[in-house]
Amino acid sequence: MSAVPLEAAVRADVSRERDVDGPAPLAPAARLFPALSAVYRAQLSRARVARIPLLFVATFQSVGIMILMRGVVDGGGEARAVVAGSSVLVVAFVALNLLAQYFGQLRADGGLDHYATLPVPPAAVVLGAAAAYASFTVPGTVVTAIVGCGLFGLPLTHLWVLIAVIPLAGAALAGLGAALGLLAPRPELATLLGQMGMSAALLLGVLPADRMPTVLQFARDLLPSTYGVEAFARTFGPDPDWAVVALDLAVCAGVGVASLAVATWAYRRAAVR
């Protein structure tokens, strides 16, 4: 009489249980905020190697633009627009340009397949990457604002408003950059779209609005970062209208929510293809 090995008997019992109960249930999906925190830390660690060159290039570019504009702008409202626009341009360089390149390359290399296999909500992937890239803009934006105030003789009293301007403008631009990278069929096109977006932020955000043609003024109102620039520029006045500043920031926040929602939809669309 032959004896059945213990392991074979256990396998047979497990097989019978699976036949009765059906396939084993999957692990529950991670909640949004823990998943967002995990993606943010992972992206922050990944981008840390390129932090110093990234900050230097973004800050040097904005400071150089202000030095060039110093020769044609003396002061007043035009100087406020130049300093505010150049400061937010640091955010545009990272959150719009580099994020579009990152998601375009991620889609081309199959990196989205990796995220699709994880029990992570799509919004956590988009928001985590956007927050990580936007975090690197803080030192450069602050340095640009301080240098600009020194160049144009503007007060440093209300620079604390950058605490609101950086994340809100960063969210709006990061959502746009992520959407461009995810919707572009090729990484080269994603890079081109990101650079065009940053060029639009340079042209429409740094130049004084009253010197633009009507068509460009309309296009400036459609740029997500415009309202962050306007809010920051208003704080340089002798008696800022804080209600209008809050309204500009609220509009910037609304645009940020909308652009991140579009980026989340684009991520879902790209991940299932």
Side-chain angles (χ1 to χ4, degrees), residues 21 49 75 95 97 104 106 111 120 124 134 137 188 207 227 236 261:
D21 300 334
V49 177
N97 184 23
L106 193 69
V120 177
T137 67
E188 296 83 3
L207 296 179
Y227 303 96
F236 291 125

Side-chain angles (χ1 to χ4, degrees), residues 207-218:
L207 296 179
D210 56 357
R211 291 194 177 186
M212 297 181 184
T214 304
V215 175
L216 290 183
Q217 290 182 11
F218 178 74

Side-chain angles (χ1 to χ4, degrees), residues 90-100 130 133-134 137 169-178:
V90 179
V91 181
F93 178 83
V94 178
L96 177 57
N97 184 23
L98 295 185
L99 201 59
Y133 273 75
T137 67
L173 293 170
L176 179 59

Side-chain angles (χ1 to χ4, degrees), residues 29-41 119-121 123-125 128:
R31 290 175 297 174
L32 175 61
F33 289 105
L36 172 61
S37 176
V39 173
Y40 173 76
R41 292 196 302 269
V120 177
V125 178

